[in-house]
Amino acid sequence: SRPILDMSYSRHFLDFQGSSIPSSMKKLVVTKLSQNFREAVTLQHDSPVPLPGDGDLLVRNRFVGINASDINYSAGRYDASVKPPFDIGFEGVGEVVALGLSASADYTVGQAVAYVKAGSFAEYIIVPAKQAVPLPSVKPEFLTLMVSGATAYLSLKELGDLSEGKKVLVTAAAGGTGQFAVQLAKKAKCHVIGTCSSDEKGGFLKSIGCDHTINYKTENVESVLRKDYPEGVDVVYESVGGKMFDLALNALAIKGRLIVIGFIAGYQNPTGLQPIKAELLPVKLLKKSASVRGFFLNHYLSDYKMALQHLLKMYERGDLVCEVDFGDMSPEGKFTGLESVFRAVDYMYMGKNIGKIVVELPHSVSSKL
């Protein structure tokens, strides 16, 4: 019998809008390890809605974020010790609909919160109160900051050494994290070059301040960089891998830094990697006193809250564009409901998105009033 504040069992779970919280819910579960997301993941229709413990919030998800690494997670690449079945999804935004007694010191029913926690692809999720981020309202824009914004902010702050006049190359610049790398590098008064796959994406990048866009479908990135930046670029924010990694490495200036935040080109391969010309890496780095650094958000969680607060303030001041892509332009339309997560993942891997892909989970409110 765990205490639920203001949710007395005589009324059982009544949420703030007067509709009862159901006893079962839908959620996505990894039932077999595979880099093919559709093969790995199953939509379950009758999972029990979990009960919050003393320090927990029960959050009804309204928006969940799609990440390139969802495929790495469903392929079992992050932690080989975790065996299926396990829950999937990394982040969400929603309302608190029930909470434990000590959690009620800081939260109330009806409050908007965001969180980063495995298992977000579900209608309801338990979030420890100390891991939740209170929000002024339930808006999908806030979701863009949780993983994507924080990754761009912390990687550039910790590893980028940005300063005025530096040349920064962002690959997959119109994507979920790329949009923030572009804007944050511009805030540091850098000259920003962004690669993208369409003229529409190029237009978006120019609208958020990108100085030079390169459409890799119609232009030769290597020759453009060689011609326009003969001295090389100072920082590369790299998330593509494979040939793009090689090309970015070759484009580094003296003392240049290449920050690896992903290698999406390899995520759907059974091996997970596209070959790079790594045997020449020591020579290339030595010749330029250059460096390659990896960045994984989980290793920087001590700075996470600070980064998020900074980004939230920037957004609220109007200093940051948080572009959300609901898939309105995808063949079957907007990503609505957990069943559309599969389409949303496909859409990302086809390189169609501009900004962060978000899935909306609408809920019907059957008021008792």
Side-chain angles (χ1 to χ4, degrees):
S1 60
R2 292 178 282 187
I4 310 277
L5 188 79
D6 292 333
M7 311 291 279
S8 69
Y9 280 108
S10 59
R11 295 182 298 155
H12 196 47
F13 277 163
L14 283 189
D15 74 13
F16 66 105
Q17 284 175 312
S19 65
S20 40
I21 296 169
S23 56
S24 65
M25 65 173 185
K26 292 182 193 169
K27 72 173 179 177
L28 294 185
V29 178
V30 176
T31 47
K32 104 180 226 208
L33 298 183
S34 169
Q35 75 284 346
N36 180 330
F37 191 82
R38 288 178 181 271
E39 273 181 24
V41 179
T42 304
L43 175 61
Q44 295 189 347
H45 288 266
D46 53 358
S47 297
V49 171
L51 276 175
D54 181 56
D56 296 334
L57 311 173
L58 178 64
V59 177
R60 174 166 48 205
N61 284 322
R62 293 286 302 283
F63 301 102
V64 292
I66 304 294
N67 292 284
S69 44
D70 289 326
I71 277 190
N72 282 342
Y73 200 55
S74 63
R77 288 189 185 128
Y78 285 153
D79 185 352
S81 69
V82 179
K83 301 285 182 258
F86 56 87
D87 297 348
I88 189 166
F90 290 123
E91 55 186 341
V93 166
E95 307 105 348
V96 176
V97 291
L99 70 173
L101 195 56
S102 61
S104 67
D106 300 304
Y107 289 92
T108 58
V109 168
Q111 190 158 358
V113 292
Y115 63 88
V116 174
K117 184 177 183 275
S120 71
F121 293 161
E123 291 177 319
Y124 294 84
I125 187 171
I126 295 288
V127 180
K130 55 179 183 296
Q131 288 177 26
V133 178
L135 297 175
S137 60
V138 176
K139 280 173 78 173
E141 285 77 11
F142 292 125
L143 194 51
T144 66
L145 302 174
M146 299 301 292
V147 171
S148 301
T151 294
Y153 177 82
L154 286 168
S155 62
L156 291 173
K157 180 174 179 286
E158 298 292 324
L159 310 177
D161 192 23
L162 301 184
S163 58
E164 187 168 356
K166 291 265 175 82
K167 294 186 273 298
V168 178
L169 171 65
V170 180
T171 64
T177 73
Q179 65 171 328
F180 294 112
V182 167
Q183 293 178 80
L184 294 167
K186 283 306 295 177
K187 298 265 180 270
K189 301 186 172 167
C190 298
H191 175 89
V192 183
I193 309 126
T195 71
C196 61
S197 61
S198 71
D199 291 341
E200 188 192 1
K201 290 184 179 188
F204 165 68
L205 289 172
K206 291 214 168 78
S207 78
I208 58 171
C210 193
D211 297 289
H212 188 166
T213 62
I214 307 174
N215 180 344
Y216 65 81
K217 292 275 175 79
T218 58
E219 299 174 83
N220 182 311
V221 179
E222 195 165 12
S223 49
V224 171
L225 290 172
R226 202 179 294 128
K227 176 173 148 295
D228 293 347
Y229 305 94
E231 302 290 304
V233 296
D234 302 297
V235 179
V236 181
Y237 182 89
E238 216 296 275
S239 62
V240 176
K243 291 186 179 122
M244 188 63 85
F245 174 90
D246 286 328
L247 198 150
L249 182 68
N250 293 338
L252 283 177
I254 303 293
K255 298 184 186 173
R257 285 175 304 287
L258 192 156
I259 304 168
V260 176
I261 65 116
F263 43 97
I264 192 170
Y267 291 176
Q268 286 186 309
N269 292 0
T271 58
L273 286 170
Q274 284 199 331
I276 56 166
K277 299 189 176 91
E279 65 275 10
L280 296 173
L281 194 61
V283 179
K284 289 177 177 178
L285 295 179
L286 181 66
K287 207 163 71 174
K288 294 178 174 176
S289 293
S291 64
V292 175
R293 296 286 300 269
F295 178 89
F296 189 44
L297 185 60
N298 288 11
H299 300 147
Y300 289 84
L301 293 181
S302 57
D303 298 319
Y304 179 75
K305 280 241 156 132
M306 170 276 298
L308 204 54
Q309 280 161 358
H310 182 80
L311 291 165
L312 283 165
K313 280 191 190 123
M314 284 179 76
Y315 172 66
E316 283 165 1
R317 284 199 309 264
D319 289 344
L320 202 58
V321 172
C322 297
E323 188 70 16
V324 172
D325 191 333
F326 277 120
D328 293 302
M329 308 311 287
S330 68
E332 292 170 60
K334 186 176 174 176
F335 303 133
T336 305
L338 286 172
E339 46 285 347
S340 69
V341 167
F342 298 97
R343 283 200 300 121
V345 169
D346 289 344
Y347 181 73
M348 174 172 48
Y349 279 91
M350 288 188 287
K352 300 292 188 194
N353 58 302
I354 296 181
K356 172 87 179 182
I357 301 178
V358 173
V359 173
E360 184 172 7
L361 306 185
H363 61 270
S364 55
V365 174
S366 55
S367 178
K368 307 275 187 197
L369 301 176

